[in-house]
Amino acid sequence: MHQRAIRKQSNKNKQPWPRLQNLESQLYTISNLILFSIFGTLARLGLTALTTYPAAPLSTPLLWANVGGSLTMGFLVEEHKLFTYSKSPTTNDEERVEVERVDSPTREEKDQAPINKKTVPLYVGLTTGFCGSFTSFSSFVRDAYLALANSNSPPHRNGGYSFLALLAVIITTVGLSLGALVAGTHLAIAAEPVTPPIPTLFTRKIIDRTVVFLAWGCWLGAVFMSVWPPDRPGGSIGRTSWDQETWRGNAVYALVFAPVGCVLRFYASFYLNGRFISFPIGTFAVNVAGTMLEGMFYDVQHVPLGGRVGCQVLQGLQDGLCGCLTTVSTWVAELKALKLRHAYVYGIISVAAGLGVMVIEMGSLQWTRGYAAPRCMVSG
């Protein structure tokens, strides 16, 4: 039963995202994507930093973010009470009808819920924006390649052990992310009796309009902080050397590029995912394209070319643009929704294509010239 919302979402809708009716609705949707992509990026970077420590049992700290984003995605896809719109929602406030509930939703309402929720900008922001940016397919494939290339271990490890390390990264990431997605659906079912609905008028009149100012203000603030970092020499923290400047490379540049990747991913899914019901071509395209870009930025960063700021921009492009252009949470949700044979084909082709791109891009440089330490790399 926990699969019903996810599976019906795939089987009943060739168009994955209902058409946006007017400019107002598009503004609300894009604003939610911008704001929650920033939140998702911060959550991913913060959790990765928190789970990176000596002798960690997991060699890929990003696994925690992928599992957390997939868990949240499972909950949001399965729940049926937060967003209570009628079965024929429109973008006009006067035509929207809030469903008054006394008991739990009926089975028919639950089956229709995934369709209706996709018209709600806040839901799009939470799923595509936050969960999609909290997880990263390109960074997952990068970690798989680094395990295969023996980049994080003593150089004496043989090829067989490197292949096992590759399998370990793939199996743990895919398996635990799928498990977290299912756990999220179970959590939504368990919390259904106590999950409060969000009033329609409150969402439309208050939340959506507030998000517009917050989203564009936060994005503009990230741009300003990237130009005038607070830890610059002689700045508010009193740094005396540019070598100690860390804000932009660690987070700020990523926040500048994150909304771009998230919005591109949303529109790629909007226009492409419905073309082939058995193969979400939009998600596949952005995952492979983002992986290709990540490999290119990683190579240039480790040549290295340019100075400290250039290195920080490249790191921001990897964490922000590529991290938000690609997604694991949506990918595993699609794997769960597809028929078994289609899911295996889609999953294997996605991982193989991403890993093949990384081997060509990163391997050709690493196994010939070799990698140098990035000039902006800061310990800790």
Side-chain angles (χ1 to χ4, degrees):
M1 294 297 290
H2 63 268
Q3 302 181 31
R4 63 183 183 273
I6 302 176
R7 191 171 295 279
K8 287 181 181 294
Q9 177 180 346
S10 175
N11 294 340
K12 286 193 172 184
N13 296 284
K14 290 187 178 181
Q15 180 64 42
W17 294 101
R19 291 194 175 276
L20 305 177
Q21 299 294 324
N22 53 33
L23 293 178
E24 180 187 11
S25 180
Q26 293 189 51
L27 175 63
Y28 291 154
T29 301
I30 292 174
S31 297
N32 274 274
L33 289 173
I34 291 173
L35 182 63
F36 285 104
S37 68
I38 291 175
F39 289 163
T41 302
L42 285 173
R44 169 163 43 87
L45 295 177
L47 188 57
T48 300
L50 184 65
T51 54
T52 302
Y53 52 89
L58 297 174
S59 60
T60 56
L62 184 70
L63 176 64
W64 290 91
N66 285 335
V67 168
S70 299
L71 178 73
T72 309
M73 175 68 83
F75 177 87
L76 291 170
V77 170
E78 181 65 24
E79 69 80 28
H80 305 287
K81 294 181 68 176
L82 282 177
F83 307 98
T84 52
Y85 286 119
S86 67
K87 292 187 177 182
S88 300
T90 66
T91 55
N92 295 325
D93 293 335
E94 295 78 8
E95 297 175 358
R96 286 189 181 273
V97 180
E98 183 176 358
V99 178
E100 297 293 341
R101 301 194 188 277
V102 177
D103 302 320
S104 296
T106 65
R107 182 182 181 88
E108 291 73 16
E109 289 171 333
K110 290 180 179 180
D111 292 343
Q112 187 72 10
I115 305 173
N116 294 340
K117 288 191 296 187
K118 286 187 174 183
T119 65
V120 183
L122 179 60
Y123 175 80
V124 176
L126 290 171
T127 52
T128 303
F130 180 77
C131 296
S133 302
F134 194 5
T135 61
S136 173
F137 184 86
S138 61
S139 298
F140 149 57
V141 177
R142 180 204 62 202
D143 289 344
Y145 165 79
L146 293 176
L148 175 65
N150 193 21
S151 298
N152 300 321
S153 301
H156 63 268
R157 189 174 75 185
N158 61 43
Y161 290 143
S162 295
F163 179 71
L164 290 176
L166 167 68
L167 291 181
V169 173
I170 294 176
I171 292 173
T172 54
T173 300
V174 178
L176 290 176
S177 296
L178 279 168
L181 180 79
V182 175
T185 64
H186 293 171
L187 182 61
I189 294 172
E192 184 174 292
V194 296
T195 302
I198 302 177
T200 303
L201 290 179
F202 179 75
T203 302
R204 194 63 171 173
K205 297 289 188 180
I206 305 298
I207 295 180
D208 286 347
R209 295 179 180 180
T210 302
V211 164
V212 173
F213 293 98
L214 288 177
W216 296 94
C218 289
W219 196 9
L220 189 62
V223 173
F224 287 158
M225 290 180 67
S226 68
V227 177
W228 300 288
D231 57 348
R232 65 192 183 279
S236 57
I237 301 180
R239 303 286 190 182
T240 58
S241 171
W242 280 108
D243 292 335
Q244 297 174 295
E245 189 269 319
T246 59
W247 275 60
R248 295 187 291 188
N250 287 352
V252 176
Y253 278 132
L255 302 184
V256 172
F257 297 116
V260 178
C262 182
V263 172
L264 288 175
R265 172 163 47 83
F266 169 75
Y267 279 105
S269 298
F270 178 82
Y271 287 110
L272 299 178
N273 272 1
R275 295 182 180 272
F276 302 98
I277 198 65
S278 61
F279 195 96
I281 190 67
T283 305
F284 173 79
V286 294
N287 277 346
V288 174
T291 302
M292 179 180 64
L293 289 174
E294 172 128 359
M296 180 180 66
F297 296 144
Y298 190 93
D299 279 352
V300 176
Q301 187 186 41
H302 287 75
V303 171
L305 295 175
R308 170 172 293 272
V309 174
C311 177
Q312 292 175 334
V313 171
L314 290 169
Q315 188 63 48
L317 287 168
Q318 293 175 64
D319 294 334
L321 178 65
C322 301
C324 294
L325 181 61
T326 64
T327 176
V328 168
S329 59
T330 301
W331 181 60
V332 294
E334 291 166 346
L335 290 176
K336 192 65 178 176
L338 293 172
K339 293 182 179 179
L340 187 61
R341 178 170 60 88
H342 296 156
Y344 272 102
V345 170
Y346 175 48
I348 291 173
I349 290 179
S350 296
V351 174
L355 186 60
V357 167
M358 281 294 189
V359 169
I360 293 173
E361 284 189 330
M362 297 176 63
S364 59
L365 176 62
Q366 183 179 7
W367 296 326
T368 54
R369 177 171 176 172
Y371 281 148
R375 295 181 179 178
C376 56
M377 186 63 65
V378 178
S379 61

